[in-house]
Amino acid sequence: MTVEGLSPMTKVEVVVRSSDADAVSRQIVSAGATGYTSLPGVTGLGHHGAHDGRALFNDQDALTLTITVVPDDRAPALIAGLRELLERRPGVMFVSTVSVSRPHYFQ
């Protein structure tokens, strides 16, 4: 246990085109994560310019942010799989250490 009785884990956040979000979700599940949150239509400014979050013609043109938290021992396989996925598709991944209050949710 760390910060005031919380447990350390690894949070992985991935922003990809909505058409690639299913591939990200499959990678997360195959790495043993017990869940994830997917937020379609995210907005922002990045390497390729501004994204307004709304697709003009279909949902595939928008961006999706997918977030998961895994125990530290599951993180290397997940990160490796997502890095391989992102070599073939546009997107970005953020990895950070977090502290969680209910570690049994992530086992």
Side-chain angles (χ1 to χ4, degrees):
M1 297 284 186
T2 60
V3 181
E4 300 176 27
L6 301 178
S7 298
M9 300 259 176
T10 300
K11 179 170 68 170
V12 179
E13 302 169 89
V14 183
V15 179
V16 294
R17 294 180 304 202
S18 292
S19 59
D20 294 326
D22 283 342
V24 170
S25 300
R26 285 192 304 272
Q27 185 65 47
I28 289 170
V29 171
S30 72
T34 59
Y36 59 86
T37 299
S38 186
L39 304 168
V42 295
T43 64
L45 176 66
H47 181 72
H48 292 289
H51 297 277
D52 71 1
R54 293 182 309 164
L56 292 176
F57 302 106
N58 61 54
D59 290 339
Q60 305 306 306
D61 294 333
L63 296 177
T64 296
L65 168 62
T66 304
I67 306 163
T68 191
V69 174
V70 294
D72 292 340
D73 63 332
R74 293 186 193 157
L78 174 58
I79 293 165
L82 289 170
R83 288 182 77 180
E84 183 178 323
L85 182 77
L86 291 172
E87 286 177 6
R88 301 183 310 269
R89 296 174 166 94
V92 64
M93 173 175 52
F94 307 98
V95 178
S96 56
T97 299
V98 296
S99 298
V100 301
S101 61
R102 296 181 175 139
H104 58 282
Y105 280 20
F106 304 94
Q107 300 300 326

